[in-house]
Amino acid sequence: MAAVASSVVHEVLGRRADDVDEPIIDYIINVLADDDFEFGVDGDGVFEAVGELLVDSGCVHDFPECRAICSKLSEKFGKHGLVKPKQAVRSLATPLRMFDGMDEEETPKKQVEVLDGPVLSERDRAKIERRKRKDERQREAQYQMHLAEMEAVKAGMPVVCVNHGGNEDGPTIRDIHMENFTVTVGGRDLIKDASVTLSFGRHYGLVGRNGTGKTSFLRHMAMHAIDGIPKNCQILHVEQEVVGDDTSALQCVLNSDVERAQLLEEEANLLAQQRDLEYEAESGNSTEHVKGGVNKDAIGKRLEQIYKRLEFIDAYSAEARAASILAGLSFTQEMQRKPTKAFSGGWRMRIALARALFIEPDMLLLDEPTNHLDLHAVLWLEAYLVKWPKTFIVVSHAREFLNTVVTDILHLHGQKLTAYKGDYDTFERTREEQLKNQQKAFEANEKARAHMQTFIDKFRYNAKRASLVQSRIKALDRMGRVDEVVNDPDYKFEFPTPDDRPGPPIISFSDASFGYPGGPILFKNLNFGIDLDSRIAMVGPNGIGKSTILKLISGELQPTSGTVYRSAKVRMAVFSQHHVDGLDLSSNALLYMMKCYPGVPELKLRAHLGSLGVTGSLALQPMYTLSGGQKSRVAFAKITFKKPHIILLDEPSNHLDLDAVEALIQGLVLFQGGVLMVFLFPTTVYFGDLIQFYSAVLQCYFTLLFIPFSRQISCAGEPRRAPYNRERRRAVGGLRR
Ligand SMILES: Nc1ncnc2c1ncn2[C@@H]1O[C@H](COP(=O)(O)OP(=O)(O)OP(=O)(O)O)[C@@H](O)[C@H]1O
Ligand SMILES: [Mg+2]
């Protein structure tokens, strides 16, 4: 059907189709090929669905021409038998009772319909449905256009590959001065009139709340869209995972040294030619022999040049270097040989990171690199970055990571970008001091102004003091104002309280063991329970099977022996990166929720989104424009709407800024149900803010479920009851910074 639809569309649009982006044509074909598509009379349906798009994309000149094209499309589709006949409508001679002839008992009672809004006629409802479908198609088209635009931007960006010197485009890049630049996205200024100098060899940590524009700033830099960045400056922004194909992970990294790859290929070709010539010479053809002799010399000379260059660019150690970077990022030797298409998104992201480290561009831009890494890889990356000889900017919400790797902080706040010397802790102290001083200056200024104003008001009409009053007025003007310190609005994460509380046991593992078919036993004889008061942190290294336990708890997997009891009444919510990645990006947060929970009044869904910080226009913005932290919040809203009794969280703090993590802690502490959280490792050492998590965990109310390396699971201590709300609230106060 799609093939026929494609040929019809191309036949009708003819050469016009070549001028339009391919995703748009694909979209039009898919819409028209849809089984349920209504072509309407004379192509009305086609015009309604794709008319605007045809005109906007420049495929047709104007709407009259568009109408003609739509009518032709409808006619051609009809000729191919792709237009379904409309159901004929006929009037009944007499009224018909649907339940005539049935027993009164059997007659189904009419269900009371819960109405949200005014009563609508069938016609109106159909109209609304049609409009909805049209909007959906338009949103999808916009999203496709956005993707095409991003692809075009990427294609237009300079290719960043290993540079072995000999750069003739300009002087070697040292410091970068960006002056008076503004970063605007979607018509909104994210950074205004900022000036920053990036000194060569310094390591910058870019910090700021979720959604302030950090990622957008890095993107602008990578596109060289900011004045002051030299054209020949190689900037690499590690944002997207590598494409999955048959190239091995190791080769994928090595291929970024284009010169090396080309030289090796040429070497292989020349060696093959040399062998052929030798073979021909041996076979005794004299003329060929002479010719071969000449060729042989030329080949030998070129090979010599190649070997010299390969040695100069350190080509023979490249493989070992690439392998050691991959090993640092937790790729075993076997994994390094696997094709990139065999890896999941998270691992492909690691390959992208490995490639960037291997290339060593003039300016490396890393956006939350620790999100996809296990503790071993984080430690390795820290050590690697500390020794990084050039400049980099890293966005991170992990305090200890920043403290270790950066020498300067760039703080993005209120559309201003400010540079601070020192690590994150120093920045925090300096800023606190600055704010304190600003507040003092503001108060002093206000006091002095008030004093002068009182004098002026008092003697304004006193002729004897007229000159004094005049000089005070001038002084007041000269004095100017000091800005008041405006605190960031408080974040909130409010998890709804379940209306019912099923009695224990809620979830209990009795001698449960599990192993995947054909694999080793992952867990043996697990015995533990989760109830509405549970506060459990599950920690352990990568790949030990934490997600498997989550799946056993949620019922996605069954134990191989023993039992996992799950109360029939329990509602569980699972949060993981997978849920964030699974959002329907072409839609907006509100529509997404409406789709997940049909029939629920819009206001209720908006209120719930608001309780997790997705407020105002943010809820109506297409989700592909949301920042990482904002998407996490939408995912939280989706999983918690049904008022779960138990929330299972897999690495919930990824993407969230430090204040948001704190708000999440508060939200979870106040939540009146069970919580189980998964972390890669006791992160007390490396993610400073999570110390609070764990301090709270260990000292007050979290039971620590520990998975030691022996792959045996055990409960640390007796499960404790969570304290009452009053104590919980007091504890929250204690958690505030
Ligand atoms: N096309 C767009 N239209 C409207 N707003 C947009 C668009 N693209 C991005 N935004 C908004 O711009 C802001 C900055 O987004 P960005 O991804 O740069 O933030 P961020 O600082 O990286 O946040 P995070 O810490 O959550 O990753 C966000 O509020 C986002 O919603
Ligand atoms: Mg970001």
Side-chain angles (χ1 to χ4, degrees):
M1 173 115 168
V4 184
S6 168
S7 79
V8 172
V9 169
H10 280 285
E11 186 189 336
V12 174
L13 295 182
R15 296 248 307 275
R16 293 184 184 93
D18 301 339
D19 301 334
V20 183
D21 287 340
E22 212 177 295
I24 297 180
I25 295 292
D26 287 348
Y27 169 75
I28 293 172
I29 293 168
N30 282 332
V31 168
L32 301 184
D34 193 316
D35 274 347
D36 296 329
F37 185 76
E38 285 172 22
F39 283 79
V41 181
D42 204 17
D44 272 356
V46 184
F47 184 74
E48 198 183 328
V50 297
E52 243 175 81
L53 188 63
L54 284 169
V55 178
D56 286 351
S57 61
C59 187
V60 292
H61 295 303
D62 49 22
F63 281 100
E65 188 189 358
C66 183
R67 272 217 172 271
I69 289 284
C70 291
S71 157
K72 211 163 179 184
L73 278 169
S74 175
E75 186 191 320
K76 290 266 177 197
F77 268 81
K79 276 191 188 151
H80 283 83
L82 298 178
V83 175
K84 281 158 282 318
K86 230 179 148 196
Q87 291 275 314
V89 179
R90 67 189 170 84
S91 336
L92 291 171
T94 52
L96 190 77
R97 272 182 49 136
M98 299 300 279
F99 302 118
D100 271 353
M102 272 173 89
D103 282 350
E104 239 351 81
E105 304 255 285
E106 280 178 35
T107 312
K109 300 277 171 291
K110 193 169 182 273
Q111 295 252 330
V112 183
E113 209 176 314
V114 185
L115 291 170
D116 174 24
V119 183
L120 297 174
S121 68
E122 264 314 307
R123 209 185 131 109
D124 286 343
R125 231 177 267 176
K127 217 168 164 182
I128 289 174
E129 269 309 307
R130 267 210 304 279
R131 171 141 290 277
K132 251 194 213 164
R133 280 209 298 271
K134 187 180 164 194
D135 286 348
E136 211 163 286
R137 285 198 288 261
Q138 268 175 359
R139 273 196 305 276
E140 181 60 34
Q142 266 171 8
Y143 179 46
Q144 292 304 332
M145 266 198 228
H146 163 81
L147 289 183
E149 262 169 36
M150 297 294 279
E151 278 302 313
V153 167
K154 226 172 81 184
M157 265 158 57
V159 179
V160 181
C161 55
V162 177
N163 181 3
H164 295 292
N167 192 344
E168 281 98 40
D169 296 347
T172 325
I173 306 304
R174 304 296 294 181
D175 299 349
I176 293 178
H177 308 279
M178 296 180 280
E179 302 230 332
N180 286 327
F181 68 89
T182 295
V183 173
T184 307
V185 174
R188 193 154 68 91
D189 287 344
L190 296 173
I191 304 179
K192 229 171 157 178
D193 301 330
S195 296
V196 175
T197 294
L198 300 173
S199 307
F200 181 77
R202 294 201 69 85
H203 303 162
Y204 295 86
L206 175 56
V207 299
R209 278 192 158 198
N210 287 138
T212 41
K214 301 179 292 297
T215 302
S216 310
F217 171 52
L218 296 193
R219 276 188 198 144
H220 275 66
M221 279 191 73
M223 289 190 293
H224 285 71
I226 295 177
D227 284 346
I229 301 179
K231 270 209 174 62
N232 62 332
C233 179
Q234 280 208 322
I235 303 183
L236 184 52
H237 182 196
V238 186
E239 193 178 19
Q240 281 170 336
E241 56 211 47
V242 296
V243 243
D245 56 21
D246 289 321
T247 325
S248 72
L250 182 64
Q251 198 54 48
C252 177
V253 174
L254 282 170
N255 282 351
S256 59
D257 190 342
V258 177
E259 186 180 354
R260 177 183 175 275
Q262 280 171 352
L263 288 173
L264 287 178
E265 195 185 332
E266 196 182 341
E267 182 206 3
N269 283 339
L270 290 174
L271 285 176
Q273 279 182 35
Q274 213 174 34
R275 267 198 308 275
D276 286 351
L277 286 175
E278 270 166 20
Y279 176 73
E280 279 167 16
E282 272 169 26
S283 65
N285 186 330
S286 63
T287 46
E288 282 295 312
H289 185 73
V290 175
K291 201 174 141 202
V294 175
N295 263 345
K296 248 170 128 178
D297 280 352
I299 291 172
K301 251 189 199 155
R302 178 64 192 144
L303 276 173
E304 206 174 301
Q305 284 170 349
I306 290 175
Y307 291 135
K308 255 194 194 153
R309 184 67 188 164
L310 282 171
E311 204 163 304
F312 177 76
I313 64 173
D314 244 353
Y316 300 111
S317 68
E319 191 162 329
R321 224 156 16 96
S324 92
I325 294 175
L326 282 168
L329 294 172
S330 303
F331 285 82
T332 59
Q333 284 202 351
E334 192 192 330
M335 286 163 82
Q336 293 178 19
R337 282 191 295 272
K338 273 212 262 178
T340 51
K341 68 178 180 199
F343 289 100
S344 66
W347 284 94
R348 279 195 220 160
M349 197 68 214
R350 288 191 196 204
I351 301 177
L353 178 59
R355 209 169 49 173
L357 298 178
F358 181 76
I359 290 174
E360 216 175 274
D362 298 320
M363 172 73 68
L364 176 63
L365 309 178
L366 301 172
D367 205 343
E368 306 194 36
T370 57
N371 274 0
H372 301 282
L373 303 183
D374 55 282
L375 182 78
H376 166 262
V378 172
L379 290 180
W380 178 86
L381 183 64
E382 276 183 5
Y384 202 87
L385 288 180
V386 166
K387 285 191 256 153
W388 191 257
K390 298 181 180 175
T391 321
F392 70 71
I393 302 182
V394 61
V395 175
S396 178
H397 300 300
R399 178 195 299 263
E400 286 309 315
F401 177 76
L402 286 173
N403 277 341
T404 312
V405 302
V406 307
T407 57
D408 297 67
I409 292 284
L410 296 174
H411 182 219
L412 181 50
H413 180 261
Q415 300 176 310
K416 287 195 190 87
L417 194 60
T418 320
Y420 293 82
K421 287 239 173 308
D423 62 11
Y424 188 81
D425 283 347
T426 315
F427 150 73
E428 232 180 17
R429 278 196 302 273
T430 316
R431 184 158 163 77
E432 209 168 293
E433 198 62 31
Q434 267 179 3
L435 291 180
K436 232 189 255 171
N437 291 342
Q438 188 185 337
Q439 185 62 23
K440 266 192 207 152
F442 167 76
E443 281 163 17
N445 178 278
E446 286 295 295
K447 209 167 153 187
R449 291 183 72 88
H451 191 70
M452 283 192 203
Q453 193 63 49
T454 319
F455 183 88
I456 295 166
D457 292 345
K458 196 167 170 189
F459 299 111
R460 187 182 291 271
Y461 305 107
N462 186 327
K464 276 191 204 157
R465 306 207 188 208
S467 65
L468 273 178
V469 168
Q470 280 309 314
S471 75
R472 294 278 157 100
I473 288 175
K474 276 185 196 148
L476 199 59
D477 269 354
R478 275 199 306 271
M479 196 177 215
R481 281 185 181 277
V482 176
D483 288 338
E484 189 178 4
V485 174
V486 183
N487 286 323
D488 283 327
D490 265 351
Y491 274 146
K492 57 178 181 170
F493 270 88
E494 279 171 27
F495 297 103
T497 307
D499 304 320
D500 53 332
R501 291 181 75 80
I506 303 278
I507 291 158
S508 70
F509 279 55
S510 320
D511 291 331
S513 302
F514 182 80
Y516 287 100
I521 288 282
L522 280 179
F523 314 106
K524 241 193 273 176
N525 302 337
L526 294 184
N527 285 298
F528 72 97
I530 304 175
D531 60 30
L532 294 190
D533 290 332
S534 294
R535 290 291 192 269
I536 300 172
M538 183 157 47
V539 291
N542 231 12
I544 193 117
K546 296 181 297 298
S547 305
T548 306
I549 293 198
L550 282 195
K551 284 180 186 160
L552 283 168
I553 295 173
S554 63
E556 218 177 296
L557 290 174
Q558 300 304 327
T560 30
S561 69
T563 52
V564 175
Y565 171 80
R566 218 168 292 107
S567 160
K569 289 185 191 144
V570 72
R571 286 190 300 277
M572 272 187 276
V574 187
F575 174 88
S576 70
Q577 187 54 40
H578 174 73
H579 290 88
V580 181
D581 295 340
L583 295 174
D584 171 9
L585 294 184
S586 64
S587 185
N588 65 38
L590 180 63
L591 287 170
Y592 175 67
M593 289 290 282
M594 283 163 77
K595 216 173 192 175
C596 295
Y597 302 107
V600 177
E602 199 178 308
L603 271 180
K604 212 167 160 186
L605 293 173
R606 281 209 83 143
H608 182 65
L609 280 167
S611 71
L612 289 157
V614 186
T615 47
S617 61
L618 208 56
L620 303 176
Q621 231 173 271
M623 284 200 276
Y624 61 82
T625 68
L626 294 186
S627 76
Q630 290 164 345
K631 280 189 215 149
S632 280
R633 285 164 180 276
V634 178
F636 267 115
K638 192 219 154 179
I639 63 146
T640 55
F641 182 71
K642 283 277 169 188
K643 301 190 178 176
H645 300 110
I646 308 276
I647 302 182
L648 308 175
L649 305 151
D650 197 349
E651 305 255 349
S653 56
N654 275 0
H655 296 298
L656 295 181
D657 65 50
L658 293 179
D659 290 339
V661 170
E662 199 169 308
L664 175 65
I665 296 171
Q666 293 181 28
L668 287 175
V669 168
L670 294 177
F671 172 58
Q672 314 250 328
V675 178
L676 186 147
M677 279 175 302
V678 175
F679 293 100
L680 280 175
F681 209 78
T683 41
T684 40
V685 195
Y686 285 96
F687 296 90
D689 262 56
L690 295 177
I691 292 174
Q692 295 181 330
F693 239 114
Y694 283 100
S695 313
V697 169
L698 295 172
Q699 290 164 17
C700 322
Y701 25 71
F702 280 81
T703 309
L704 182 71
L705 185 70
F706 184 59
I707 309 176
F709 286 90
S710 62
R711 291 179 182 258
Q712 290 269 323
I713 198 165
S714 63
C715 277
E718 281 296 297
R720 275 177 289 163
R721 314 282 313 165
Y724 298 111
N725 266 346
R726 195 159 33 84
E727 288 174 71
R728 285 192 191 183
R729 277 179 204 283
R730 207 180 315 136
V732 174
L735 285 174
R736 276 181 186 282
R737 255 203 303 248

